[in-house]
Amino acid sequence: MPHTFDLLVIGDANPDIVLGPLDAPLAFGQREQLVDSGLLTLGGSAAIMACGAARLGLKVAFAGRVGDDEAGRFIRTALNARGVDTDALRVDPGLPTPLTVVVTREDGDRTILTSPGTLSATGPDDVPEALLTSSRHVHAASYFLLPKLADALPELLATARAHGITTSLDTNDDPSGAWAPGSIDATLAVTDFLLPNAREALALASAAASPDAAGSPATADALEAAAGALAAHGPRVVVKNGADGALVHDGRTLLRTPGIAAGPLDTVGAGDSFDAGFIAAFLRGLSIAEALEIAAACGALSTRAHGGTAAQPTWDEATSALARNGKNL
């Protein structure tokens, strides 16, 4: 059966209001604080990843849910403008579109405030079977923000794999701090690539899954151990670690890349652009080591502008950046 799309992305899409950088703690008491920049842009891990993959040349479809409001129409327009098919983006008649405010700091850290809206209602019925079984790859994002979809992921991803389709998951952060001990195992068993950042990898791999464990130092040994433990559940584990590069672990072999140097203007969405680069390279038939290099380049290049999508690279830009750093694919 011919593939309709290279990539189906399922998950969250919302407007991001990105403000910063803040040079002091958030102040309450009706205080007003000034920052250098503010931006209304496309957000949501799944949406940013979909845009990054389309920018890299993949034919991409998006499945999810937005509200019947201006924010929802903004999402559809933004995805379409970036070459993402939105025929499967469902409009909820009652719930509002999610909305996120991102406040960045000068040290590159950020806080994220999200009003869930339709995220709580997004579920398996929002993923058309025709897309699930006719795309070359299926990527899911924001596992902990989408409880109904998370419960259905084992069956959805198993269906995709039964049709010879590869799968990936980026859980992103867990606002509850619980990290779903035990309940995510069934999803990992049908996931080809797990794509957490360093903090998420440590939290997911921690037996206690406590907030303290989630904030523990991301040393090289700790990340290697976490990636190996997660790989034992089934997937190749690809861990993003910002300026320190990235690694991939299949349960036996560990590969690392230091990434490429970047002077980041805004790191919002960099991990999602990394995901897009890795999957795009994988679908082009590159080796896992080469895919890791492309992914790191895509993540770094995406930080050149504010917001998650404005500076996402083309394939030629990503490979040229690697070549400038002496990494020829």
Side-chain angles (χ1 to χ4, degrees):
M1 179 179 178
H3 293 108
T4 307
F5 290 94
D6 295 311
L7 174 64
L8 168 63
V9 181
I10 56 179
D12 56 329
N14 55 263
D16 267 357
I17 301 172
V18 184
L19 301 171
L22 194 65
D23 59 4
L26 280 172
F28 289 85
Q30 302 184 47
R31 292 283 308 283
E32 185 164 353
Q33 294 170 272
L34 300 181
V35 294
D36 289 340
S37 68
L39 178 69
L40 172 64
T41 187
L42 180 64
S45 177
I48 295 172
M49 191 277 187
C51 292
R55 179 74 170 158
L56 290 165
L58 298 187
K59 187 176 182 182
V60 182
F62 187 90
R65 186 184 291 222
V66 294
D68 185 11
D69 49 28
E70 287 301 320
R73 289 182 278 278
F74 171 83
I75 292 301
R76 190 180 301 276
T77 299
L79 285 169
N80 288 338
R82 289 163 176 80
V84 177
D85 185 281
T86 58
D87 286 350
L89 181 60
R90 183 177 178 182
V91 176
D92 190 298
L95 292 171
T97 300
L99 181 63
T100 292
V101 176
V102 182
V103 181
T104 64
R105 293 196 316 197
E106 291 181 329
D107 63 2
D109 199 3
R110 59 185 180 268
T111 188
I112 304 170
L113 305 174
T114 294
S115 173
T118 56
L119 295 180
S120 62
T122 305
D125 292 342
D126 296 316
V127 185
E129 186 174 357
L131 283 178
L132 189 67
T133 59
S134 65
S135 301
R136 296 173 61 200
H137 186 91
V138 175
H139 177 79
S142 295
Y143 179 92
F144 298 106
L145 295 181
L146 300 147
K148 286 182 65 176
L149 186 63
D151 288 344
L153 273 183
E155 182 176 352
L156 291 173
L157 299 185
T159 297
R161 289 180 111 196
H163 287 78
I165 296 162
T166 49
T167 61
S168 57
L169 171 67
D170 189 341
T171 66
N172 304 106
D173 189 36
D174 181 2
S176 75
W179 295 95
S183 66
I184 199 173
D185 291 356
T187 299
L188 296 183
V190 288
T191 299
D192 289 296
F193 300 107
L194 176 65
L195 296 147
N197 66 25
R199 178 181 175 276
E200 294 156 1
L202 291 169
L204 288 165
S206 171
S210 68
D212 289 341
S216 61
T219 64
D221 288 345
L223 286 183
E224 180 177 345
L230 290 168
H233 292 271
R236 279 192 175 100
V237 180
V238 187
V239 181
K240 301 162 281 194
N241 197 20
D244 290 327
L247 62 86
V248 58
H249 204 310
D250 65 3
R252 300 175 302 278
T253 304
L254 176 73
L255 299 171
R256 294 184 183 273
T257 179
I260 63 173
L265 183 62
D266 182 0
T267 61
V268 171
D272 307 313
S273 295
F274 177 106
D275 296 351
F278 188 90
I279 298 305
F282 170 73
L283 291 177
R284 279 177 175 253
L286 274 65
S287 70
I288 296 300
E290 291 169 329
L292 191 65
E293 298 286 0
I294 285 286
C298 288
L301 292 172
S302 76
T303 68
R304 296 172 295 175
H306 290 289
T309 61
Q312 289 178 315
T314 64
W315 184 262
D316 286 345
E317 287 174 333
T319 55
S320 294
L322 288 176
R324 289 194 298 272
N325 283 265
K327 299 178 180 181
N328 294 307
L329 301 183

